[in-house]
Amino acid sequence: MTASVTEVAAGNPAAYGVETRLGHLGRDPAAHGRTVNTPIYRASTYVWPDTATQEQERLLAQDPAYRGTMYGRGGNPTTIAFEDAVAELEGGFRGLIMPSGLAAIVGAVLSVAKAGEHILVTDNVYPSARNVFTNVLSRYGIETSFFDPLDTDGIAVRIQRNTRALYLEAPGSDTFEVQDVPRIAEIAHAHGALVLFDNTWATPYFFKPFEHGVDISLHAATKYLVGHSDAMLGLIVARKEIYPDVRSTVRGLGYIAGPDDAYLALRGLRTLGVRLDRHESSAIEVAEWLLRHPGVLGVRHPAFAHHPGHATWQRDFSGSSGLFSFELPAVPKPVLNVFLDHLQLFSMGASWGGFESLVKLPHATRTFQPLDPARQIIRLHVGLETVSDLIADLDYALGAFAHAQKKIA
Ligand SMILES: *Cc1c(COP(=O)(O)O)cnc(C)c1O
């Protein structure tokens, strides 16, 4: 995306390239003591100089789009700057900062569904979200069922009369199948259901949810947006017509996040493009190497032609991130541990999206497309280290693994 001279002169921010926007959104030096970065505003309380000003603001605040600060639970200039920056990048109306990605998931669902209603959820959903749907929201009368992420044609029959929303995540957690978001959104809307989408993997840098029929996008900002493994944070971005409901629900429930974490997320945005470009290229190099390795059974990565949903990914996404998985033969745990314990640079860790490489054994549950018990899925987050070092690390650990495998054969 490049801007014409007149658009830039007119100050139309949407006309700038994405890297320019990542550098400039959510900053206003003139409003903040001329500091380059929006400062950390610590505030529970805001005061008014007189009753007339207070009354004027009370009236303004009746507009759900109002961006002022009245009380800490509604936000502060740091959190609002982050909300506005990501909403602008995604093409949504407004954002709502949340204390974690999981809180964003719960907040988004509670904003659209009530007791007696149903949410249709992709089978490859983030496991902690699956737990919330099946074990927590069910206690409050919100019903959930799942759909096969690759069976787009089978979705319509799974939509019930009380289905309020379809919940998508592309590519899905651990197995990375890519759903046809625009087509699924068409089906959902034809049945009067909304579309909720977890955009954590791609971020707005690689996927624009609101250009693909999504009504509410949500993020674990904990991952790439913060980008340095040092904060828990979530964000919900909504379409204009839905935003007032989402805002009144999540702020009404008391969800807010602190300005320090919002500051870290804003700082993360400044380098999101360069970080993701490197995560992407290194991950593809590592995945290609793994695919050629004789001990590896397969690679699950949307950028590879054999991957389920690859064509959809190619059509709808502008890139891939650093998170994918590969498969080894299923072996007794002590043998698998030989592989994990010989890794030096890939640390065992539950999260991803930081600068560091991580390895994790996923605990995926599937209703459709059962996972092959003869294959062990291993999830990798390829960090920003020198890629040849990462490959050497895997080579060494896979060598030790092959040796251990032979001993039990
Ligand atoms: C980690 C993750 C979440 C949850 O985010 P937290 O900030 O850890 O609560 C949600 N969705 C996806 C896809 C994730 O990977």
Side-chain angles (χ1 to χ4, degrees):
M1 192 198 327
T2 46
S4 75
V5 174
T6 37
E7 280 170 325
V8 173
N12 173 12
Y16 286 111
V18 64
E19 294 85 356
T20 307
R21 299 166 80 203
L22 286 169
H24 287 262
L25 287 170
R27 296 204 294 116
D28 185 4
H32 305 290
R34 291 186 282 111
T35 57
V36 165
N37 290 289
T38 301
I40 295 170
Y41 282 86
R42 299 188 162 282
S44 64
T45 310
Y46 301 92
V47 293
W48 293 271
D50 50 53
T51 52
T53 321
Q54 186 184 34
E55 180 59 16
Q56 190 187 23
E57 182 153 29
R58 197 185 64 77
L59 291 173
L60 286 171
Q62 285 174 359
D63 177 356
Y66 181 62
R67 299 312 269 159
T69 45
M70 312 262 290
Y71 179 54
R73 207 192 304 120
N76 60 64
T78 321
T79 61
I80 290 171
F82 173 59
E83 292 173 343
D84 286 352
V86 180
E88 168 88 36
L89 286 166
E90 290 207 312
F93 177 60
R94 287 279 154 78
L96 291 155
I97 200 166
M98 298 290 278
S100 71
L102 194 54
I105 293 169
V106 174
V109 172
L110 293 179
S111 299
V112 301
K114 59 179 189 296
E117 294 182 329
H118 170 253
I119 309 280
L120 186 57
V121 178
T122 183
D123 200 25
N124 55 4
V125 67
Y126 174 61
S128 299
R130 193 182 187 100
N131 174 58
V132 169
F133 281 113
T134 48
N135 299 321
V136 183
L137 293 176
S138 56
R139 298 209 308 260
Y140 300 90
I142 296 173
E143 195 192 321
T144 302
S145 61
F146 295 92
F147 68 90
D148 181 340
L150 298 172
D151 181 16
T152 309
D153 293 335
I155 287 175
V157 298
R158 298 190 183 280
I159 297 180
Q160 306 173 182
R161 251 211 313 237
N162 61 345
T163 302
R164 277 292 290 147
L166 270 67
Y167 184 96
L168 317 181
E169 182 186 325
S173 282
D174 302 325
T175 44
F176 299 95
E177 303 89 345
V178 182
Q179 295 135 64
D180 188 340
V181 179
R183 178 74 192 116
I184 295 174
E186 240 174 65
I187 298 168
H189 292 153
H191 288 81
L194 296 170
V195 176
L196 277 52
F197 182 80
D198 184 331
N199 199 22
T200 302
W201 184 88
T203 83
Y205 188 65
F206 286 143
F207 184 74
K208 301 269 187 272
F210 295 92
E211 290 173 13
H212 294 89
V214 168
D215 299 296
I216 298 177
S217 158
L218 55 95
H219 298 266
T222 309
K223 311 289 169 56
Y224 284 126
L225 297 181
V226 167
H228 295 74
S229 304
D230 50 6
M232 297 295 298
L233 200 65
L235 187 75
I236 304 175
V237 180
R239 205 154 54 68
K240 186 169 186 180
E241 296 73 16
I242 301 164
Y243 172 78
D245 282 348
V246 184
R247 184 185 160 87
S248 66
T249 304
V250 303
R251 294 293 178 252
L253 286 167
Y255 280 128
I256 187 68
D260 299 75
D261 294 339
Y263 181 91
L264 291 175
L266 279 167
R267 189 162 74 172
L269 276 188
R270 308 305 167 214
T271 57
L272 184 69
V274 286
R275 283 188 288 114
L276 278 179
D277 285 344
R278 178 61 74 87
H279 283 297
E280 175 182 39
S281 63
S282 292
I284 286 174
E285 214 174 313
V286 169
E288 277 171 346
W289 181 85
L290 285 168
L291 203 54
R292 289 193 302 268
H293 193 285
V296 170
L297 298 181
V299 162
R300 293 173 173 267
H301 189 305
F304 286 67
H306 69 268
H307 185 76
H310 167 73
T312 308
W313 170 80
Q314 206 165 31
R315 184 193 66 195
D316 294 343
F317 291 68
S318 58
S320 56
S321 65
L323 192 77
F324 70 97
S325 58
F326 73 101
E327 294 166 337
L328 290 175
V331 290
K333 212 168 169 147
V335 180
L336 185 61
N337 289 349
V338 169
F339 168 70
L340 296 172
D341 289 337
H342 278 78
L343 289 166
Q344 303 292 308
L345 296 176
F346 284 88
S347 311
M348 283 178 280
S351 193
W352 51 276
F355 52 84
E356 79 285 17
S357 288
L358 296 170
V359 60
K360 182 178 186 288
L361 304 180
H363 302 285
T365 308
R366 294 290 180 267
T367 305
F368 306 93
Q369 319 259 8
L371 300 172
D372 182 353
R375 291 167 175 241
Q376 170 67 52
I377 296 181
I378 296 171
R379 190 184 79 181
L380 293 182
H381 179 250
V382 175
L384 303 177
E385 300 94 335
T386 306
V387 66
S388 56
D389 291 341
L390 296 177
I391 289 173
D393 198 35
L394 289 164
D395 196 20
Y396 177 64
L398 285 172
F401 176 73
H403 191 69
Q405 251 182 316
K406 268 198 212 98
K407 274 210 282 203
I408 61 154

